[in-house]
Amino acid sequence: MKSLNVWFHIGFWVVYTAIFTIVQAGYKGEYQEALVFELINLPVRLLVVYFNYFVLLPKLLLQGRITKYFLYTVITLIIAGFVQRFVNYYALDMLYPSIPDSGIWLPYKFLQASIIIASPLIFIIGISIVWKVAQLQKRTKSLENEKLQSELKYLKSQINPHFLFNTLNNIYGLSLENSKKTSGLILKLSDFLSFSLYESNQKLIPLEKEIALMNDFIALEKSRFEDRVNVVLKLPKNEAQDISIPPLILVPFVENAFKHGLKNETEMATIKIHLSVSEKILNFRVTNSKPLDSGVTGKNKGLGLANIQKRLDIIYGKNYSLNIDEQPDVYTIHLQINTA
């Protein structure tokens, strides 16, 4: 990057000198004389430009001290204009004594010299500011991505313990009853831990793996609640093969349905789960019956759903929709994701 920067500056001064030589020679056609004139003036221009580039730009302009930057720049240009005028007057008088000069103290000559020096300064400083702004934007975007990834990891770290906490409570309840189902549930739990360790850290997983995890969870919950819950499950078959989604995106919705659909329920609870895929659009609908005294409202939907929605916002932005429909006796979520 530094070598490219050096070559850019060298190339700029070569082109700049060539252009001004051609312009200067356009008056009389004396290209050699014009080239000598430009080379004589080049050191003063270099000093002004790189004093501004290495001193005034980083210490004043980029630090927000704009007024001081422009004040010092103008003072530098005025001094440089005087210096260049003296150099032109005496150097050209020695090299080309036959060329008449209208006088050293003419004000417009100093102004002309300052303006000519300002032209490369404006160009190089302008390019430098544009480049630094582009680098700053790139850095800002990189930091935003790092922040998003950190937030995603944080949200996942909340989801997994929350999910496992509920599962351990289930196993604990059965262990108090000395249920034969306890060992099977512990095996299911080990599967969940395996998923959490080796799959959930991936950015995307095949939809089939999320479906398999969801089936395991449903089997675990049905084993616990036995005849208290009726699960109606409709899942895609071949359509799911080419779809990938973030891990643990769908399962928490099913967990939420079991948790709140069976809370305070004394009769048969019903949970309907419908997942379909059409042209890379994933539709997921979970409906659970809700006891009138469940205490579940749209404002109290739990840590799991809140975190899932944050994850969806970060990952998909506007490419998803999540609708929650709450009725007195039924609670429905409808998630639609454009996975293309």
Side-chain angles (χ1 to χ4, degrees):
M1 182 60 71
K2 289 184 177 180
S3 61
L4 288 176
N5 197 28
V6 169
W7 282 111
F8 164 78
H9 284 270
I10 292 174
F12 167 78
W13 286 110
V14 170
V15 173
Y16 175 87
T17 303
I19 291 174
F20 270 78
T21 298
I22 294 171
V23 172
Q24 183 74 15
Y27 296 106
K28 298 180 180 180
E30 296 291 339
Y31 287 94
Q32 181 179 352
E33 179 183 311
L35 178 60
V36 171
F37 178 81
E38 292 302 318
L39 292 176
I40 288 174
N41 290 325
L42 186 60
V44 176
R45 295 170 185 174
L46 289 172
L47 285 172
V48 171
V49 169
Y50 290 109
F51 172 72
N52 198 294
Y53 184 83
F54 289 111
V55 179
L56 300 184
L57 178 67
K59 292 187 176 181
L60 296 179
L61 185 60
L62 297 182
Q63 300 299 322
R65 301 160 70 183
I66 299 175
T67 303
K68 280 192 174 183
Y69 170 78
F70 281 107
L71 177 62
Y72 284 122
T73 298
V74 170
I75 292 173
T76 303
L77 288 172
I78 292 172
I79 295 172
F82 275 93
V83 172
Q84 183 168 304
R85 182 64 190 140
F86 275 98
V87 170
N88 289 344
Y89 186 82
Y90 289 108
L92 289 177
D93 183 60
M94 288 187 294
L95 293 173
Y96 302 100
S98 60
I99 299 177
D101 195 292
S102 53
I104 190 171
W105 297 109
L106 291 176
Y108 81 90
K109 288 287 186 180
F110 293 104
L111 180 62
Q112 183 185 53
S114 297
I115 292 173
I116 291 174
I117 295 171
S119 61
L121 175 64
I122 292 171
F123 185 85
I124 285 186
I125 298 302
I127 291 292
S128 299
I129 291 174
V130 170
W131 183 81
K132 288 181 184 296
V133 168
Q135 292 296 109
L136 181 61
Q137 289 178 338
K138 183 179 178 181
R139 175 62 177 163
T140 301
K141 187 175 181 180
S142 175
L143 290 174
E144 286 177 354
N145 288 335
E146 290 176 9
K147 181 182 176 182
L148 289 178
Q149 292 303 318
S150 296
E151 188 171 353
L152 278 173
K153 290 180 180 179
Y154 171 70
L155 292 173
K156 283 183 182 180
S157 72
Q158 286 186 306
I159 290 168
N160 293 345
H162 178 70
F163 178 75
L164 295 174
F165 174 77
N166 289 334
T167 305
L168 283 171
N169 271 344
N170 297 347
I171 296 174
Y172 174 72
L174 290 174
S175 68
L176 292 178
E177 302 171 3
N178 294 319
S179 174
K180 295 179 180 179
K181 299 174 183 177
T182 305
S183 59
L185 295 181
I186 292 174
L187 183 60
K188 293 289 185 183
L189 178 58
S190 72
D191 291 338
F192 285 121
L193 286 172
S194 176
F195 185 91
S196 299
L197 289 171
Y198 302 110
E199 302 287 349
S200 66
N201 289 327
Q202 297 182 31
K203 184 177 180 180
L204 295 172
I205 62 169
L207 178 57
E208 292 174 326
K209 287 189 176 182
E210 185 82 0
I211 290 174
L213 188 70
M214 186 163 55
N215 279 325
D216 286 343
F217 178 80
I218 292 170
L220 186 151
E221 292 292 76
K222 287 178 69 176
S223 175
R224 177 192 174 203
F225 290 107
E226 295 182 341
D227 297 331
R228 288 183 54 201
V229 61
N230 176 37
V231 179
V232 180
L233 186 62
K234 186 177 180 181
L235 301 173
K237 295 181 181 179
N238 296 331
E239 306 96 305
Q241 292 180 354
D242 298 327
I243 301 294
S244 294
I245 61 171
L248 294 173
I249 281 289
L250 304 183
V251 173
F253 291 113
V254 179
E255 177 194 8
N256 189 74
F258 274 96
K259 178 181 178 182
H260 297 298
L262 288 154
K263 182 179 181 182
N264 301 327
E265 179 62 81
T266 58
E267 299 179 1
M268 173 71 74
T270 299
I271 296 175
K272 297 179 180 179
I273 302 166
H274 181 211
L275 176 62
S276 64
V277 178
S278 177
E279 296 182 354
K280 299 293 184 178
I281 303 296
L282 183 148
N283 279 285
F284 185 58
R285 186 184 300 272
V286 180
T287 302
N288 64 270
S289 58
K290 190 180 70 170
L292 294 178
D293 60 344
S294 66
V296 181
T297 66
K299 295 181 180 179
N300 181 27
K301 57 186 179 181
L303 175 65
L305 291 189
N307 283 343
I308 291 299
Q309 191 159 8
K310 287 181 181 179
R311 287 182 66 200
L312 289 167
D313 285 337
I314 293 172
I315 297 169
Y316 290 108
K318 296 181 179 180
N319 292 323
Y320 91 97
S321 64
L322 177 62
N323 297 309
I324 298 175
D325 180 25
E326 183 180 12
Q327 302 297 328
D329 59 346
V330 69
Y331 188 86
T332 303
I333 68 98
H334 179 211
L335 173 65
Q336 186 177 81
I337 301 175
N338 184 354
T339 63

